[in-house]
């Protein structure tokens, strides 16, 4: 399935695999960045780099920061090369120019997109996810401010807190109410991206 799983579920092997695939582009992009225009270079990023980062990021992005940081630094370097920016340019500006997010935020973004689909467009998810998360409204019969939230089960282990069922529920509950109530996927994506930029 294109995902490398190690014995400790640290995802280090998968991250190393993605890093190895992407690092070869640094030299190529450096050589062609002055020969192609901005739009073409942006297309190259989303054709050859972004798909590798995005694939299964909901899972491998759950690793510790020192593993994922290796990939994020490489991605920052690629964006600097393609945008012909100096080291003094703040990395968040590199992502804004391409309307995307740093890997750590992209991980949160993709999890929240899944939760949004579960809440507002569950019919578009495979049947296996029909009861993947639990809404507070199914547990509490009386009206509460938290009815639009998800039920968070008590979990003690650090491994358990990395599960999407737990992490997704926590992330969703911490969103502003107006964002949680947004039905449109397009609008939700845009507002969520702005929220993550502002952090």
């Amino acid at each position: 399935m294109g995902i490398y799983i190690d014995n400790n579920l640290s995802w280090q092997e998968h991250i190393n695999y993605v890093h190895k695939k992407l690092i070869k582009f640094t030299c190529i992009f450096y050589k062609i960045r002055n020969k192609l225009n901005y739009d073409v270079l942006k297309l190259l990023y989303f054709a050859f780099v972004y798909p590798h980062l995005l694939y299964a990021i909901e899972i491998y992005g759950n690793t510790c920061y020192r593993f994922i940081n290796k990939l994020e630094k490489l991605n920052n370097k690629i964006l600097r090369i393609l945008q012909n920016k100096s080291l003094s340019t703040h990395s968040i500006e590199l992502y804004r120019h391409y309307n995307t997010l740093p890997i750590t935020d992209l991980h949160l973004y993709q999890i929240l997109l899944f939760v949004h689909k579960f809440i507002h467009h569950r019919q578009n998810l495979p049947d296996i996810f029909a009861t993947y998360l639990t809404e507070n409204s199914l547990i509490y019969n009386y009206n509460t401010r938290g009815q639009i939230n998800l039920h968070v089960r008590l979990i003690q282990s650090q491994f358990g807190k990395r599960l999407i069922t737990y992490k997704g529920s926590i992330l969703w509950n911490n969103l502003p109410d107006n964002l949680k109530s947004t039905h449109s996927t397009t609008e939700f994506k845009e507002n969520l991206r702005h929220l993550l930029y502002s952090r």
Side-chain angles (χ1 to χ4, degrees):
M1 292 178 65
I3 304 174
Y4 288 84
I5 303 174
D6 56 83
N7 293 333
N8 299 318
L9 290 179
S10 69
W11 305 109
Q12 188 174 9
E13 188 174 345
H14 180 74
I15 289 168
N16 289 340
Y17 164 75
V18 176
H19 188 276
K20 188 176 181 180
K21 289 202 74 142
L22 297 184
I23 199 166
K24 64 184 178 183
F25 289 112
T26 56
C27 183
I28 296 170
F29 289 156
Y30 189 82
K31 289 179 179 178
I32 65 172
R33 67 177 179 177
N34 292 319
K35 302 182 189 315
L36 301 171
N37 66 38
Y38 176 89
D39 291 332
V40 173
L41 291 172
K42 184 177 179 179
L43 284 174
L44 289 176
Y45 174 80
F46 283 101
F48 295 106
V49 178
Y50 188 74
H52 293 295
L53 298 174
L54 191 64
Y55 184 69
I57 195 170
E58 299 91 335
I59 300 170
Y60 84 78
N62 248 333
T63 190
C64 65
Y65 180 72
R66 70 186 171 91
F67 293 156
I68 206 75
N69 188 45
K70 171 184 179 180
L71 202 54
E72 191 151 281
K73 283 182 176 178
L74 176 60
N75 193 40
N76 290 348
K77 182 176 182 178
I78 289 171
L79 288 172
R80 285 184 198 283
I81 291 170
L82 288 172
Q83 297 178 30
N84 207 2
K85 299 290 185 181
S86 67
L87 288 173
S88 62
T89 304
H90 198 289
S91 60
I92 197 62
E93 293 305 314
L94 302 173
Y95 290 95
R96 281 182 184 274
H97 282 306
Y98 276 12
N99 200 28
T100 185
L101 293 160
I103 294 172
T104 48
D105 282 342
L106 193 59
H107 165 66
L108 305 180
Y109 179 81
Q110 287 299 120
I111 290 177
L112 283 166
L113 286 187
F114 167 76
V115 178
H116 180 266
K117 186 176 285 189
F118 177 87
I119 298 293
H120 294 288
H121 306 283
R122 202 173 311 179
Q123 71 280 3
N124 296 330
L125 287 173
D127 291 341
I128 195 172
F129 293 115
T131 57
Y132 193 69
L133 302 167
T134 305
E135 295 162 278
N136 274 350
S137 59
L138 298 177
I139 295 177
Y140 305 108
N141 293 323
Y142 49 88
N143 289 328
T144 66
R145 282 190 70 238
Q147 276 203 316
I148 59 174
N149 287 345
L150 293 169
H151 179 64
V152 181
R153 294 178 177 86
L154 183 62
I155 292 179
Q156 301 289 349
S157 69
Q158 289 304 309
F159 178 80
K161 290 178 180 179
R162 288 164 56 189
L163 296 174
I164 291 178
T165 49
Y166 179 85
K167 192 171 187 177
S169 298
I170 294 289
L171 289 170
W172 179 263
N173 292 351
N174 287 332
L175 289 178
D177 286 351
N178 64 317
L179 192 52
K180 285 183 281 193
S181 301
T182 303
H183 185 78
S184 164
T185 301
T186 303
E187 188 179 343
F188 179 79
K189 284 180 176 180
E190 189 64 25
N191 291 334
L192 178 58
R193 193 179 292 113
H194 285 308
L195 179 66
L196 291 171
Y197 280 146
S198 69
R199 299 189 324 146

